Amino acid sequence: MRCYVQSLTLAQFRSHARARVLADGRPVALFGPNGAGKTNLLEAVSMLSPGRGLRRAGADDLARRPAGLGWKIRAEVQGSDGTHEIETAAPPGQSRSVRIDGKLTPQLALGRVLAMLWLTPAMDRLWTEGAEGRRRFLDRMVMSFLPDHAEAVLTYERAMRERNRLLRDQIGDDAWYGALEHQMSESGAQITANRRTALLALAEATTGAQTAFPAAELSLTGPDDSPQPDTVADLRAALAEGRRRDMAAGRSLSGPHRADLGAVYAAKGQPAALCSTGEQKALLISMVLANARALMARRGLAPVLLLDEVAAHLDADRRAALYDEVLALDVQAWMTGTGQELFAGTGHRLQGLRVTQAEGISAIEEKELP
Amino acid sequence: MSPPTEPGEIDALIAQVARLPGLGPRSARRLVLHLVRRRAQVLDPLARALARVAEAARECSLCGNISTSEICPICTDPRRASGEICVVEEVSDLWAMERGGAFCGRYHVLGGTLSALDAIGPEDLRIPALVNRVRDEGISEVILALNATVDGQTTAHYIAEMLEPCGVRVSALAQGVPMGGELDYLDDGTIGAALRARKTL
């Protein structure tokens, strides 16, 4: 099933007082000068998935300044089970609400309408920075396969926050810890199992794939390459044994919230963190493409890809290869670049949209690409 | 639009009524007007009932239910000494259970759930009292009717652990398809829970 965004209307969102994009299902190439609001359009699309979007911004930061009127996004999407109208908005000072087909729903329901993956320039340092970004990247891929993953994560985090509070307050009630660890170990083991399922699906989609991008061998470990407690019983035992140590640290030190995603550039046998900047980017692109292929194979649905400034760090051949692979996958990818020459050679195969802004008014016009 | 003049005491009554759950200033004004116009039929009996409840309402010292006596009618009714205690979070949950009339044992109201973040610990709930009751009243089964939230389930596991030395059977309400419910409209988690709790026909 092809899933894509058909129309997108923004009101008071970031730099756009008002903007409307009509997409016909082809991959979208957004180009225009710096500050025209290209990434803001991508961010608006990312708000059609659960969570805080591709910049992880708070609801208030998304509102156009200085108006302070709050913001609203309306979209028509072709989802896994037909066309849906999605509306998401946040009045000033309030958290964002989501309506699907006019009905108020929890954010998590968005994950069942569209699968969405993204790459941003901030993720260029994903392999060299802390494990948190890699976990988030992994969990987004997991959610594309298993939308219910988000609920396990929420249950786990909620119980962990409670446990961390007990640890910080130096409370020594074993039964209370036991009750929280019971829930952490059940949801935590589910999280780890989901992550392993997703990694397996990615590995299957990588083996033998025709792609210009380097294959990554992925692994799931605990912090500092320690083994990750997998089963409910193991996790429960690890938490119970770690109470004294955790109390000294004031937080929970074992569990899936400490897991790390390891990647090795398969052809060279080199850990991703030691690869060149361009190679690291290529690995990320390779994973996102593998994820899209795996989703088609497993769930029969195509994700929406948001590739911000993806042309940076890629030479002309790799760029052409990326566009070819996106087109071969038949997914709607939203890609940005400053000039249309970055999309040279794609012609009418991509939907070219030029984004400009003058005196606070955004203009988005369709342009044929070279 | 508010009436041009309202004597101070009626104003104060309207303000009090508007603080009740489900009522706002406009419905409060309509309600107070209704009371004042039907003094004998509505206002006086209501005022007397309110005064009596204000005088007598208290928490049952055994189960935490609200009634007008030291021990509530459920705890004093010998027919309800079935050896079963149903544990609920709030009095409203107890009244909801009673509405159905399906349970003929006694209750225990916790007065909330464990929540480290809200600084509610076991001693703030009526958990020690529950353990004493189970020990003293010869209870054979404790039924945990707690919400299916993280806090509710943490509290359930905690109570189960506390009751383990008593050797009493501890059970929890089933989760699944509601009466008259259609599978089509249920979320995946509920269907999964219903499937796990299936029974032989």
Side-chain angles (χ1 to χ4, degrees), chain A residues 78-123:
Chain A
Q78 179 65 48
S80 50
D81 58 350
T83 313
H84 293 285
E85 199 177 291
I86 298 177
E87 190 179 291
T88 178
Q94 291 181 33
S95 54
R96 80 156 162 143
S97 63
V98 173
R99 283 174 192 273
I100 299 177
D101 299 323
K103 279 206 192 104
L104 202 60
T105 52
Q107 275 186 39
L108 291 186
L110 290 171
R112 296 194 182 89
V113 177
L114 281 183
M116 202 179 292
L117 303 161
W118 56 69
L119 281 183
T120 67
M123 289 158 72

Side-chain angles (χ1 to χ4, degrees), chain A residues 158 162 173 176 179 182-183, chain B residues 115-117 150-151 154 157-158:
Chain A
R158 167 95 216 197
E162 286 277 313
D173 187 331
W176 198 345
H182 186 106
Q183 302 206 69
Chain B
S115 168
L117 292 170
V150 170
D151 285 350
T154 301
H157 290 304
Y158 182 90

Side-chain angles (χ1 to χ4, degrees), chain A residues 1-7 75-85 113-115 302 304 332:
Chain A
M1 186 76 208
R2 282 196 84 214
C3 298
Y4 62 98
V5 180
Q6 295 171 323
S7 76
E76 273 176 354
V77 304
Q78 179 65 48
S80 50
D81 58 350
T83 313
H84 293 285
E85 199 177 291
V113 177
L114 281 183
V304 172
Q332 187 186 42

Side-chain angles (χ1 to χ4, degrees), chain A residues 112 148 151 154-156 158-159 161-163 165-166 168-169 173-180 182-183 186 236, chain B residues 114-124 149-159 161-162 187-189:
Chain A
R112 296 194 182 89
D148 288 344
E151 272 166 64
L154 285 180
T155 302
Y156 180 82
R158 167 95 216 197
R161 277 200 301 274
E162 286 277 313
R163 185 175 185 269
R165 184 59 189 258
L166 291 185
R168 269 198 297 277
D169 292 350
D173 187 331
D174 281 338
W176 198 345
Y177 282 105
L180 288 167
H182 186 106
Q183 302 206 69
E186 283 193 345
R236 211 166 162 189
Chain B
L114 284 178
S115 168
L117 292 170
D118 297 328
I120 300 172
E123 62 285 354
D124 301 308
T149 56
V150 170
D151 285 350
Q153 293 309 299
T154 301
T155 311
H157 290 304
Y158 182 90
I159 293 174
E161 168 94 31
M162 288 286 113
D187 66 281
D188 306 350

